[in-house]
Amino acid sequence: MEGDRTQIQQVVVNLVRNAVEAMAGQPDRTLRIATRRHAEGVRLCIADTGPGLPPVVQQAPFQAFVTTKQTGLGLGLSVSRKIVEAHRGAIGFASAPDGTTFHVDLPAAQEEDRAAVA
């Protein structure tokens, strides 16, 4: 995968920060970060053992100003989605009462992308 490393880092930091904040006050605070390659590219998964996303957030988690936090604007997931999509990727989630997993799929670099970087 080729892309803007700073922007991808921003996505990862945002998802990790959200996961850590979601687990505040939980008796089991486990954060799992995993990557795996697949035929089309790479998948990043960030999973927490928080209480899961409330139904209202599950309906539109990537919409600007949707948040469960007392402070902040709720722009993190919206910005993350825009960054991932600008890299020809996709972002999604699965939420349950015992945690939420966000996954980011990014395509493999094309040969012309690799040649342009070299």
Side-chain angles (χ1 to χ4, degrees):
M1 204 255 6
E2 296 293 331
D4 186 316
R5 292 177 187 202
T6 302
Q7 289 183 348
I8 299 301
Q9 179 181 6
Q10 182 180 353
V11 171
V12 173
V13 168
N14 180 57
L15 294 175
V16 168
R17 182 182 303 134
N18 287 350
V20 169
E21 290 175 4
M23 293 186 295
Q26 296 292 111
D28 173 26
R29 293 183 297 275
T30 302
L31 175 66
R32 290 184 184 86
I33 301 171
T35 58
R36 69 176 172 89
R37 292 180 62 132
H38 52 80
E40 295 81 31
V42 66
R43 172 170 271 200
L44 164 70
C45 294
I46 297 176
D48 66 60
T49 55
L53 294 175
V56 67
V57 175
Q58 288 187 37
Q59 293 174 7
F62 302 106
Q63 182 178 341
F65 306 112
V66 171
T67 185
T68 60
K69 301 174 186 176
Q70 296 293 331
T71 61
L73 298 175
L75 295 174
L77 290 177
S78 175
V79 170
S80 292
R81 180 181 70 177
K82 288 180 182 179
I83 291 170
V84 170
E85 289 176 350
H87 286 80
R88 300 183 318 245
I91 185 170
F93 73 97
S95 188
D98 60 348
T100 300
T101 300
F102 276 88
H103 59 269
V104 175
D105 291 302
L106 295 167
Q110 303 298 316
E111 286 303 318
E112 59 269 16
D113 294 339
R114 290 186 191 116
V117 172

